[in-house]
Amino acid sequence: MNRRTFITTLAAATAASTVGTTASADHDTDAAAIDLESGDGSHHPGPPRFLHADEAIVDPLGHETEPRDSLAPWNPDGNASYSWAVVESPDGADPELSGDDVVEFDPDEPGDYLLELAAPDGTHELTVRVYPDDSEDDPRPRVDLDAAVVGGQVLLNATASEPEREDVIGSDLEVEFYVDDRHRDRLDGLDGPITAADIDDRVRVYAVAVGTRHSVPDAIDLVPDGDSIAVEHPYDVPDWAEDAVVYEIFTRRFPDQDDPTFDTIADRVEHMADLGVDAVWMTPFVETDRGFGTPPEEGGPHGYHTVDYFATDPDLGTMADFEALVDECHAHDIEVIFDLVINHTADSHPFFEAATDPDHPDHEKYVDWYRWVDRDDLEAEFYFGWGGIPNLNYNNPEVRQFCLEVVDYWVEKVDGIRADVGWGVPQSFWQEMYDRIKRHDPEFLLLDETMPYDVEYAGGLFDVHYDNHLHAALGDAADGNPEAILDAVERRHEEGAPDHALFLQYAENHDTDRYLATHDSEAQRAAAAATFTLPGVPMIYYGQETGLRDWREAMNWGDFDEDVLDFYDRLVDLYHDHPALGPRGRLERIDYAADEGAIAYARYDPETDRRAVVFLNFEAGPQTITVGDYVHDENLLSDSPANMEYHDEDGFAEVTVGTAVILEADEPEGFVLPSDALVEWPSEEGTDHGPGTYTYPETDEIPEGEFDLASVTIEAGEGHYRIEYEFHNELTDPWNGPLGFSHPMMQVYLRDPNGEGGTTEAREGVNAQFEAEYHHRVVADGFVDEFQPRVEDAAGNHVSDVELRYDRNEDPRTITMTVPDDDLDYLPEGEGMALVFSMDGYGEGRIRQVGTDGGDWSFGGAESSTSPNVIDMVTPGDVDQSEALDYSEDEVATIPFAPIGDVVEADDPAEESAGDENEDEGSSPVPGFGVTAGAAGVAGGAAYAASKVLGDADESDAVDETE
């Protein structure tokens, strides 16, 4: 992962943004008991906006699941008028601003735009930063923003990171800082450095990381605190949500069905408490035309067709009954999440009835409250053909005002909101709602439903986000591809999800089939275990823990599957107890071997230095999963010894897994399963001089005999081939290679005797050809940070990565390459050739060239420029090296192939035993990917910044880091 830390002064950030004007206005509420304000109470449209030139801020008709947006005044007054203008734009730009009170904006050129909103309380300016066109296939950077006071001066500290992708060249990351347009006047008139004493009111600052794409912005608030400042992080999730377990109930099917009310739900709160639940998400319980009596073909009594936002469904009970239920939940330390349905109303809502009745006295008013495919014919817009729920029109400030009043009403009654059809409501509304609620109660939880998730919603819109990619991957896992669940989690970071973002992990919910309806019980338990052991917020859908199989059936009180319930009890307890399993623990990919349908991965908590390895089996019947022998033997999920066997001599452990096993573990190590030797190619000692005439470089850093190859062995294992290079001498490491050796480069050429499309021309820098066409090359050197060991096809295309292992303590003469068997199905019947070169990061093909005369860093002894750069190699049969590398002034060497597939048997049992002692104990683990990349600490960054402040350095500097 590329990572850079940027330090700048607040004064520099202030100079980089556009100055705005703030004002104040009253906000009228209707039903709410409290009067919340968004932002500073004015109509200012909120934080600066960031997008690419090929994007626009638009809210089109249709486009199901696609996020939509607009620009709108905050604290809207439905009786007021607003107007917008573009007052500054880049040279040559011709942006389009469309709409009246609420507008869409389509910039056509990258650069800085300044928009002006004329409102009843004054004029407000909004910065829109537009970056060049991007590619959605490129990884997206992330940024973490913090601040500190050093030498009295306020310094900003932003760490930008970008995931590495083999198919994308890493971009040079930069960070841009912006002061909120509403707060810039609080810093007006300050010349030079800005100190803590200069800040007498809250100032919000944003940071955006910029590479080939821009990041989701991060924000901090600088708050006066005596002679200093306090730094607040407005986008942080509530503390209680950091290790929460969410339980979703289908409100009208969860209580006892002979009397389904708020009271009987309260009677069942103890079940949730005993399970260890931290929050209950209740599907809608306000007045609806889809309550009790709704037939199954209409979804049953789901309640998503709202008739009155300020009244409970009388069939469930009164508002007082609901508040008593909330009190009962709170008495059991359970938070309550309200399902907010404001993308649409029911078609029986009084507003829509007025909108569709031209004779209604309020028709002219409410016809503007909805979106119309054909306004003249009063044909309303619906998503997915949901004809009973017409979409609200957020281009109408009065609609926004009303929906904010709904929010105000429920904020005091519940602990969180789940936004139904979150993708259907403009992001600008959610941005205002987030700001409005968090200023009132930072511990209030906001959960979105976006399908698929969009990481933009993590930039001050919501705390927790549906992960439908993981949900789909859990189905793929049961169909034989469990690696999909790790890919889904890794995808969050490739798409640029900020570190503070949390994802809701679920195997089923009220909109999906029950997992047991399509998969067996073993797979269901494994899927549940995945939701609790991958980094995120786990959710249980009511009855998932008791054996329910039908979509929205009644809870099976008195008929629980006790074995399943016990499994969930233990899963929830372990999730709460083990620090590595929390949302912020790191996810690590590890080496494992298993049949189809099984997987192993690790979770690690840096603060406690504890690690757990998770084994999941999605297939019916136990499976054996093999990992390195660093795992402990107690199954944390059952508090009993795991069914496992250690193989100390080979460095691995075999774990028998029914559905889920979780083991405490030390740092992961690689392992190599016993494999069948296909061929061993020996090489005589002292043949490391090319055709026999090369001389070594004069430098002491490349010792004589460094490339003297002893043998190359190819073995076949499960899903891989293992290529072992053994040298006659111990390898040296004068250049501090990341694996512990500096000099050798290994290249193995493989030939399919029946294949087509190969080539006889060796790769760049080799200066030779082959006697027949080859089809793949395995290439590796010790500097894996600069060049990924890999398998390539004959055209040089990357086929797969290669794991490289070298252990100076265990075997200082041997390098092992573990090669996936992808596209190598012609082995072991094929042919091959193994070569050794001197690695030179600046040479052709990273190969050190051989010349006529040697030097400090060059080999000598070549008779002409056609000399091959091969320093040592194996040779077939009775061919010696000088013959295999023979060349002339007019022709390069033609290198022969040797057959693969002859199993080697030791002549002497003692020799075989001695060889086993030198067997590698494991291949290096697959690099893990951090779920939350740790940002550089403020203290460390401040120390660095202090040296800048006290010296004469520039105001903005970047520190390169790698992770």
Side-chain angles (χ1 to χ4, degrees):
M1 175 179 298
N2 300 321
R3 191 173 76 174
R4 304 183 75 196
T5 295
F6 295 78
I7 311 281
T8 193
T9 65
L10 180 57
T14 301
S17 331
T18 307
V19 176
T21 305
T22 62
S24 62
D26 293 330
H27 172 67
D28 296 327
T29 61
D30 184 7
I34 58 172
D35 185 10
L36 300 184
E37 286 186 342
S38 310
D40 59 2
S42 76
H43 292 308
H44 191 284
R49 308 299 292 271
F50 307 95
L51 62 156
H52 287 280
D54 53 352
E55 300 172 334
I57 299 174
V58 294
D59 185 10
L61 288 173
H63 297 261
E64 284 91 349
T65 78
E66 291 186 13
R68 55 211 66 232
D69 203 358
S70 56
L71 297 175
W74 281 19
N75 300 297
D77 180 351
N79 297 316
S81 296
Y82 305 88
S83 63
W84 292 80
V86 179
V87 296
E88 292 182 14
S89 59
D91 291 341
D94 186 19
E96 182 178 347
L97 190 66
S98 58
D100 297 318
D101 302 314
V102 177
V103 296
E104 296 181 349
F105 179 59
D106 188 0
D108 59 340
E109 295 290 339
D112 294 325
Y113 294 79
L114 187 65
L115 275 58
E116 189 174 82
L117 169 65
D121 62 345
T123 300
H124 309 279
E125 293 180 336
L126 177 70
T127 298
V128 180
R129 176 71 166 101
V130 179
Y131 301 98
D133 293 358
D134 71 330
S135 170
E136 292 185 357
D137 294 330
D138 285 353
R140 190 169 182 179
R142 294 178 291 160
V143 67
D144 291 299
L145 178 61
D146 216 324
V149 177
V150 178
Q153 184 173 345
V154 180
L155 299 179
L156 307 176
N157 179 335
T159 298
S161 59
E162 185 176 54
E164 293 177 352
R165 280 255 303 273
E166 295 166 0
D167 57 334
V168 177
I169 299 174
S171 59
D172 293 328
L173 290 177
E174 300 293 340
V175 169
E176 296 178 357
F177 299 87
Y178 292 84
V179 174
D180 194 298
D181 295 313
R182 294 165 291 183
H183 298 167
R184 289 184 53 86
D185 63 341
R186 299 173 185 177
L187 303 176
D188 283 351
L190 299 177
D191 296 324
I194 296 176
T195 67
D198 294 324
I199 300 176
D200 56 9
D201 201 348
R202 180 183 299 267
V203 174
R204 179 164 293 182
V205 182
Y206 305 87
V208 179
V210 185
T212 55
R213 303 179 70 188
H214 75 83
S215 72
V216 175
D218 195 15
I220 57 171
D221 284 348
L222 304 175
V223 183
D225 185 16
D227 294 333
S228 186
I229 60 167
V231 179
E232 297 179 358
H233 296 265
Y235 296 168
D236 282 358
V237 304
D239 289 340
W240 65 265
E242 286 289 349
D243 63 348
V245 173
V246 176
Y247 189 88
E248 182 195 0
I249 67 169
F250 197 72
T251 298
R252 295 168 180 83
R253 286 289 185 251
F254 178 73
D256 295 300
Q257 291 303 290
D258 57 352
D259 183 24
T261 63
F262 291 131
D263 289 342
T264 55
I265 294 175
D267 292 339
R268 297 303 187 180
V269 168
E270 191 169 347
H271 167 75
M272 294 185 281
D274 290 344
L275 189 58
V277 167
D278 301 288
V280 57
W281 156 23
M282 300 178 65
T283 55
F285 49 79
V286 296
E287 191 167 339
T288 179
D289 64 12
R290 291 299 190 274
F292 292 113
T294 304
E297 60 268 23
E298 294 183 8
H302 55 77
Y304 283 94
H305 294 201
T306 306
V307 172
D308 187 341
Y309 287 96
F310 303 101
T312 59
D313 182 348
D315 290 335
L316 288 170
T318 65
M319 187 63 72
D321 295 332
F322 170 72
E323 291 171 344
L325 167 60
V326 173
D327 290 341
E328 182 68 14
C329 288
H330 288 173
H332 288 84
D333 295 324
I334 295 175
E335 311 290 330
V336 178
I337 298 174
F338 173 75
D339 210 328
L340 179 68
V341 187
I342 55 173
N343 171 77
H344 50 259
T345 69
D347 58 3
S348 59
H349 194 287
F351 296 167
F352 191 72
E353 291 180 337
T356 53
D357 180 2
D359 296 328
H360 194 286
D362 290 325
H363 170 72
E364 291 300 323
K365 172 180 178 179
Y366 287 111
V367 74
D368 288 332
W369 278 54
Y370 291 89
R371 290 162 63 94
W372 306 98
V373 175
D374 188 331
R375 183 184 174 106
D376 292 338
D377 290 340
L378 297 179
E379 180 185 348
E381 180 197 41
F382 305 96
Y383 294 133
F384 299 111
W386 297 335
I389 42 177
N391 295 331
L392 286 165
N393 176 24
Y394 279 83
N395 290 330
N396 183 343
E398 197 169 7
V399 170
R400 290 178 177 250
Q401 181 181 12
F402 172 80
C403 290
L404 288 171
E405 290 171 0
V406 173
V407 169
D408 292 353
Y409 182 79
W410 287 103
V411 160
E412 286 292 272
K413 299 180 183 300
V414 295
D415 310 293
I417 281 174
R418 177 258 182 185
D420 181 61
V421 194
W423 49 267
V425 174
Q427 294 180 31
S428 58
F429 179 84
W430 297 130
Q431 192 174 49
E432 179 176 5
M433 183 191 75
Y434 183 96
D435 181 276
R436 185 183 191 88
I437 291 176
K438 294 295 186 174
R439 288 179 184 275
H440 171 69
D441 181 5
E443 289 298 292
F444 196 92
L445 182 76
L446 293 170
L447 163 66
D448 66 39
E449 180 195 25
T450 54
M451 306 287 284
Y453 65 72
D454 187 326
V455 296
E456 291 287 354
Y457 287 78
L461 283 77
F462 290 93
D463 302 308
V464 184
H465 318 278
Y466 262 47
D467 192 344
N468 60 300
H469 296 307
L470 178 59
H471 173 258
L474 292 171
D476 293 341
D479 293 333
N481 181 23
E483 281 285 329
I485 64 176
L486 301 185
D487 295 338
V489 174
E490 189 171 20
R491 180 174 180 170
R492 302 169 186 170
H493 305 283
E494 291 179 352
E495 295 191 1
D499 288 345
H500 59 255
L502 291 179
F503 287 83
L504 188 74
Q505 303 184 155
Y506 54 93
E508 56 191 43
N509 64 34
H510 71 280
D511 284 326
T512 71
D513 289 333
R514 292 280 187 181
Y515 202 87
L516 285 177
T518 51
H519 306 292
D520 58 33
S521 58
E522 289 89 351
Q524 194 246 25
R525 293 193 194 193
T531 64
F532 278 84
T533 57
L534 291 168
V537 177
M539 190 195 84
I540 300 171
Y541 182 44
Y542 83 103
Q544 179 182 337
E545 81 284 12
T546 63
L548 290 188
R549 293 176 175 270
D550 293 334
W551 185 32
R552 295 174 175 178
E553 65 179 307
M555 184 68 167
N556 52 341
W557 299 111
D559 190 27
F560 290 174
D561 184 325
E562 295 295 339
D563 288 340
V564 174
L565 180 59
D566 178 65
F567 177 80
Y568 277 85
D569 277 335
R570 290 184 279 113
L571 199 55
V572 174
D573 287 345
L574 182 59
Y575 171 79
H576 281 139
D577 291 344
H578 201 294
L581 298 181
R584 305 304 185 189
R586 191 169 70 206
L587 174 63
E588 298 173 327
R589 290 185 185 261
I590 60 173
D591 276 351
Y592 71 93
D595 292 334
E596 184 177 277
I599 190 173
Y601 52 88
R603 298 292 309 281
Y604 176 67
D605 176 45
E607 290 188 9
T608 60
D609 195 30
R610 289 186 64 187
R611 178 179 278 106
V613 173
V614 179
F615 302 81
L616 302 179
N617 174 23
F618 288 84
E619 297 292 318
Q623 285 207 63
T624 297
I625 304 178
T626 304
V627 297
D629 61 2
Y630 55 86
V631 292
H632 302 188
D633 60 1
E634 181 182 5
N635 184 0
L636 302 177
L637 198 52
S638 64
D639 293 326
S640 62
N643 184 358
M644 62 185 295
E645 181 179 357
Y646 288 104
H647 295 259
D648 295 332
E649 67 282 3
D650 293 310
F652 65 85
E654 293 180 317
V655 184
T656 301
V657 182
T659 55
V661 171
I662 302 175
L663 305 178
E664 197 81 21
D666 301 322
E667 186 172 355
E669 296 177 356
F671 69 96
V672 175
L673 291 174
S675 54
D676 298 324
L678 300 178
V679 68
E680 180 179 350
W681 292 318
S683 180
E684 295 182 7
E685 187 171 5
T687 57
D688 60 324
H689 292 78
T693 59
Y694 293 169
T695 60
Y696 264 74
E698 295 176 4
T699 176
D700 293 336
E701 293 190 5
I702 305 181
E704 187 86 14
E706 178 80 7
F707 303 93
D708 197 357
L709 188 61
S711 67
V712 174
T713 303
I714 302 180
E715 299 175 340
E718 185 68 31
H720 70 275
Y721 293 99
R722 182 169 173 263
I723 304 175
E724 180 180 278
Y725 268 68
E726 184 177 357
F727 295 85
H728 282 289
N729 302 305
E730 294 186 6
L731 302 180
T732 62
D733 190 26
W735 303 331
N736 298 317
L739 293 180
F741 68 92
S742 295
H743 296 304
M745 170 190 275
M746 291 72 63
Q747 294 191 17
V748 180
Y749 291 79
L750 300 171
R751 180 173 184 269
D752 180 358
N754 301 313
E756 298 179 354
T759 180
T760 59
E761 183 178 352
R763 292 298 167 78
E764 180 186 23
V766 177
N767 207 21
Q769 63 183 0
F770 287 88
E771 65 178 6
E773 293 178 342
Y774 67 89
H775 299 88
H776 290 93
R777 176 182 77 149
V778 182
V779 57
D781 61 51
F783 289 84
V784 295
D785 292 342
E786 302 171 15
F787 181 82
Q788 170 64 49
R790 65 186 63 185
V791 180
E792 299 170 342
D793 64 18
N797 298 312
H798 187 137
V799 173
S800 59
D801 290 346
V802 168
E803 296 178 25
L804 200 62
R805 184 178 187 275
Y806 175 72
D807 191 327
R808 178 172 301 280
N809 295 323
E810 292 292 327
D811 193 349
R813 298 185 297 113
T814 302
I815 299 172
T816 301
M817 294 179 282
T818 301
V819 182
D821 59 9
D822 301 347
D823 294 342
L824 302 181
D825 52 359
Y826 53 85
L827 298 179
E829 285 75 23
E831 298 176 316
M833 178 49 55
L835 311 174
V836 180
F837 304 85
S838 175
M839 196 284 297
D840 178 0
Y842 300 99
E844 291 183 61
R846 296 176 64 82
I847 293 173
R848 192 176 304 280
Q849 305 295 289
V850 177
T852 303
D853 300 319
D856 287 345
W857 294 101
S858 60
F859 284 81
E863 296 177 359
S864 67
S865 61
T866 55
S867 170
N869 295 310
V870 180
I871 308 302
D872 204 353
M873 64 179 293
V874 300
T875 54
D878 56 359
V879 177
D880 64 32
Q881 182 171 300
S882 60
E883 180 183 352
L885 293 175
D886 185 43
Y887 67 100
S888 69
E889 187 173 347
D890 299 320
E891 294 186 6
V892 297
T894 299
I895 298 174
F897 284 103
I900 300 173
D902 296 330
V903 177
V904 176
E905 296 182 0
D907 295 329
D908 186 337
E911 293 178 8
E912 183 174 4
S913 175
D916 288 345
E917 291 177 2
N918 290 327
E919 198 74 45
D920 278 317
E921 293 191 6
S923 60
S924 60
V926 179
F929 51 92
V931 169
T932 55
V938 177
Y944 172 83
S947 65
K948 295 303 216 178
V949 171
L950 299 178
D952 297 325
D954 294 338
E955 287 185 313
S956 180
D957 291 274
V959 182
D960 282 322
E961 297 179 344
T962 57
E963 179 176 78

